[in-house]
Amino acid sequence: MAHDFTFRITTTRFDEDYSPSENSRITTNFANLARGEHRQQNLRNALSMIDRRFNDLAEWDNPHGDRYTVELEIVSVAVQFAAAGEDQEFPLLEVLDIQIVDRLTGKRSHGIVGNNFSSYVRDFDFSVRLPAATAAAGGFTVPSDFGDLHGKLFQHFLDSTAYRERFAVSPVICISVSTSKTYRRTENHHPILGVEYEQKDPSLTDAYFGKMGLSVRYFMPRGSVAPLAFYFRGDLLDDYTNLQLIGTISTMETFQKIYRPEIYNANSAAAKIYQPSLEQQDYSVTKIAYDRDERSRLAAEQGKYTEEHLMKPHGELLEQWAAGSSAASLVSVG
């Protein structure tokens, strides 16, 4: 059919020699690290931080704290449209895939895919659509179908042959807790994820990931100073091995220490009742360069790019498909 679209997956090694591709969303955490004069040192330092944290948490049979190393790949997913004309392919999302290398035995094991989550369509929703709806209403307004299209595309990707042929388990996305919410420590404690926090008032991000079919739990691992938000499909505590969970924690906690040091590199740990803040001053800064203001500006630019190159040429087709009228035309390829 003329309106068929498919998924295409490509991967890129994330190491000290990494350079973002032309199609990579430049506000992505890992892409932002690989820019500027000190790009290689940034990458080397970040990867070293990940390995140190991994070995700190995987302390059994690891007397020197150097048994494991983490290897990362960027998984880029594009949607390809069969209709003739321009903009036949659009970069839908990017996540990270983890490989864990045991230096003692030489064994390699698969970690969890997901971790970081990057999406042009999310930029469009939050940087173009949400401000437009708020301006039209004269006050902050979230459309009732906000995130529906993005969520359906994401869930169909997870159910596709393209995903299932490459990944054995569902993804876990790990991001910062919300600065607008208050979190309360519980008595629940997991041996790897750490102490659990609760937050009974879902944030806009929680609701957005919910439309992607993902639930959320908040845990503060041993040695951390603030809880992380884990978004998952299935059972976070039972679907993954200890080493897989450690891979996600060590990777994403490292990124958060770089990007949100006020929260994740604070000099004191979260209290029983905790509201994160980017305004607090008692924190340490890593030696890794990062421009947070530039990242916010680029998110808006990329939202407009999505409007021009995805929503205008293909929005009607996608909305019809999301409503169910063209669901049968969805095809997925690797």
Side-chain angles (χ1 to χ4, degrees):
M1 293 177 61
H3 296 305
D4 285 354
F5 58 95
T6 62
F7 294 123
R8 184 173 70 90
I9 297 176
T10 57
T11 58
T12 305
R13 179 73 177 267
F14 180 72
D15 56 21
E16 65 182 53
D17 297 316
Y18 164 71
S19 293
S21 71
E22 291 182 359
N23 290 328
S24 183
R25 178 175 169 267
I26 53 178
T27 60
T28 302
N29 289 344
F30 42 79
N32 189 280
L33 283 179
R35 302 171 63 211
E37 180 182 356
H38 304 291
R39 53 173 302 281
Q40 191 168 57
Q41 190 63 44
N42 281 345
L43 294 167
R44 189 179 296 125
N45 288 345
L47 293 167
S48 178
M49 287 172 64
I50 291 170
D51 279 356
R52 287 198 303 271
R53 182 58 167 144
F54 190 103
N55 283 286
D56 173 53
L57 289 171
E59 59 184 348
W60 59 93
D61 292 335
N62 190 5
H64 302 292
D66 60 357
R67 178 169 177 171
Y68 300 97
T69 189
V70 174
E71 294 181 355
L72 301 175
E73 274 195 331
I74 300 164
V75 178
S76 302
V77 181
V79 58
Q80 297 178 312
F81 296 92
E86 297 181 354
D87 298 317
Q88 288 178 283
E89 180 172 293
F90 188 84
L92 185 64
L93 61 91
E94 285 185 329
V95 292
L96 283 175
D97 192 22
I98 292 175
Q99 292 283 331
I100 301 160
V101 180
D102 186 333
R103 292 171 171 165
L104 179 64
T105 65
K107 179 182 177 182
R108 302 174 64 87
S109 57
H110 203 181
I112 302 173
V113 68
N115 305 289
N116 192 87
F117 181 72
S118 170
S119 167
Y120 272 101
V121 180
R122 185 173 64 171
D123 280 343
F124 169 76
D125 281 339
F126 279 89
S127 299
V128 176
R129 190 167 181 229
L130 190 60
T134 295
F140 182 73
T141 300
V142 180
S144 60
D145 62 347
F146 186 70
D148 283 2
L149 174 59
H150 183 268
K152 289 177 180 179
L153 283 169
F154 180 78
Q155 292 193 65
H156 274 285
F157 171 62
L158 296 193
D159 294 333
S160 71
T161 302
Y163 184 88
R164 289 184 283 108
E165 285 182 344
R166 288 175 177 254
F167 307 109
V169 295
S170 296
V172 174
I173 295 167
C174 180
I175 65 174
S176 171
V177 287
S178 172
T179 56
S180 66
K181 302 299 178 181
T182 299
Y183 300 81
R184 288 173 170 79
R185 190 186 306 167
T186 73
E187 296 302 316
N188 190 37
H189 187 278
H190 184 271
I192 300 300
L193 292 168
V195 63
E196 184 168 21
Y197 278 71
E198 288 184 345
Q199 198 282 105
K200 298 184 182 299
D201 179 22
S203 67
L204 184 56
T205 296
D206 294 339
Y208 195 81
F209 278 101
K211 292 192 175 183
M212 295 162 60
L214 303 179
S215 302
V216 63
R217 293 179 76 169
Y218 314 96
F219 285 92
M220 186 168 73
R222 173 180 60 80
S224 300
V225 295
L228 292 157
F230 295 85
Y231 295 87
F232 58 94
R233 188 190 205 195
D235 191 325
L236 178 65
L237 275 59
D238 290 336
D239 289 350
Y240 309 97
T241 67
N242 286 346
L243 290 182
Q244 285 177 321
L245 292 173
I246 290 172
T248 287
I249 293 167
S250 60
T251 299
M252 297 315 299
E253 187 180 85
T254 293
F255 282 138
Q256 295 301 340
K257 283 184 176 181
I258 296 167
Y259 299 123
R260 289 196 159 189
E262 299 93 336
I263 298 173
Y264 291 98
N265 217 28
N267 293 328
S268 57
K272 291 183 178 180
I273 299 176
Y274 175 63
Q275 181 169 358
S277 173
L278 295 176
E279 303 302 320
Q280 81 116 342
Q281 301 298 312
D282 186 24
Y283 65 94
S284 301
V285 179
T286 66
K287 296 181 179 180
I288 300 175
Y290 169 64
D291 190 332
R292 190 155 56 196
D293 292 335
E294 180 187 52
R295 186 166 184 251
S296 299
R297 176 179 56 80
L298 291 173
E301 292 180 6
Q302 289 169 166
K304 293 176 182 176
Y305 175 86
T306 304
E307 182 177 36
E308 185 67 28
H309 296 281
L310 179 67
M311 300 311 298
K312 286 184 178 179
H314 303 294
E316 184 176 353
L317 162 67
L318 292 171
E319 293 293 348
Q320 288 175 353
W321 168 79
S325 61
S326 60
S329 71
L330 181 68
V331 183
S332 300
V333 296

